[in-house]
Amino acid sequence: GAGVSQSPSNKVTEKGKDVELRCDPISGHTALYWYRQSLGQGLEFLIYFQGNSAPDKSGLPSDRFSAERTGGSVSTLTIQRTQQEDSAVYLCASKRGAQEKLFFGSGTQLSVL
Amino acid sequence: TQLLEQSPQFLSIQEGENLTVYCNSSSVFSSLQWYRQEPGEGPVLLVTVVTGGEVKKLKRLTFQFGDARKDSSLHITAAQPGDTGLYLCAGASGSARQLTFGSGTQLTVLP
């Protein structure tokens, strides 16, 4: 596609439920990143994929968070047993190889009630 | 852990005024990027600076990378309402694959 696409754009869930967030990167981009952003704040790194492998998972906040990427393209971020503190905007970004320009999606606004 | 501190956190000014946003760290970065983010959207890259002391201009925006590559500034001349947004700096270091983002400066330019 022309840009990074994320779905859903908004997700409201109840505490304790599992949620799955999807990211479609720009075609041909081998590197994919997940970030989390609290209201009006900077970005917190979660995980990075190079192809289908995740060499850096250091930012995942807890074992309730997991992510996978298949076919070197689509990625899903799964949050199990959601907590209120998980409420944030989850941003996905991709880039072509070693080039450092990141292209971001519009994010998924997650609200845990 | 590498940290980037941005100041001010919030800035509200009148159209036509000048402003400077600062991005500081105790760590050295191989490059530093500035992004602007509007509500409901992801950040969009404005510029990348690589060399210590480098100055880049983008219309009314001037970006500077500190000589020691630990800090950067963004200066906007004659601000316009369209400049309103969240400005984020982000540093890249040699072996790390991810960018370290600052906490952001929320700029509001009033007409």
Side-chain angles (χ1 to χ4, degrees):
Chain A
V4 178
S5 177
Q6 291 188 246
S7 61
S9 56
N10 283 282
K11 176 70 176 179
V12 180
T13 190
E14 293 179 350
K15 177 181 174 182
K17 300 285 189 182
D18 298 351
V19 295
E20 193 171 276
L21 312 180
R22 177 187 169 106
C23 172
D24 277 282
I26 294 173
S27 178
H29 282 195
T30 58
L32 185 147
Y33 298 76
W34 284 98
Y35 286 89
R36 180 168 70 175
Q37 184 177 33
S38 298
L39 184 62
Q41 297 296 308
L43 277 62
E44 174 189 4
F45 169 76
L46 297 178
I47 189 169
Y48 152 72
F49 286 93
Q50 180 62 42
N52 291 333
S53 64
D56 191 346
K57 303 180 182 179
S58 63
L60 293 177
S62 73
D63 58 8
R64 296 187 295 105
F65 288 73
S66 63
E68 65 175 13
R69 188 180 186 194
T70 56
S73 181
V74 172
S75 176
T76 54
L77 176 68
T78 300
I79 309 173
Q80 295 178 311
R81 305 180 303 280
T82 52
Q83 303 295 313
Q84 288 182 334
E85 61 262 30
D86 298 334
S87 297
V89 175
Y90 289 82
L91 289 162
C92 175
S94 68
K95 68 179 185 181
R96 188 187 302 277
Q99 184 186 68
E100 294 186 2
K101 182 174 182 178
L102 274 178
F103 293 85
F104 282 86
S106 297
T108 294
Q109 172 72 64
L110 175 65
S111 300
V112 182
L113 304 179
Chain B
T1 303
Q2 295 177 314
L3 294 175
L4 275 168
E5 295 184 354
Q6 286 187 239
S7 61
Q9 185 177 1
F10 298 97
L11 186 57
S12 182
I13 61 171
Q14 293 294 135
E15 182 176 1
E17 293 183 354
N18 302 331
L19 67 113
T20 302
V21 176
Y22 299 93
C23 176
N24 295 293
S25 176
S26 58
S27 302
V28 176
F29 292 99
S30 57
S31 66
L32 196 137
Q33 300 179 342
W34 284 91
Y35 291 80
R36 182 170 71 204
Q37 184 179 21
E38 299 187 18
E41 300 295 327
V44 176
L45 180 68
L46 297 174
V47 77
T48 301
V49 285
V50 178
T51 306
E54 181 178 3
V55 176
K56 280 192 174 179
K57 292 190 175 183
L58 185 66
K59 296 184 180 178
R60 294 176 294 100
L61 278 61
T62 301
F63 304 86
Q64 185 164 7
F65 201 12
D67 291 341
R69 291 185 286 126
K70 294 182 178 180
D71 55 85
S72 181
S73 64
L74 158 59
H75 182 78
I76 301 179
T77 303
Q80 300 177 0
D83 296 328
T84 293
L86 179 67
Y87 288 81
L88 296 157
C89 63
S93 58
S95 60
R97 297 292 185 178
Q98 76 276 16
L99 294 171
T100 300
F101 279 84
S103 52
T105 293
Q106 181 63 55
L107 172 66
T108 303
V109 182
L110 304 170

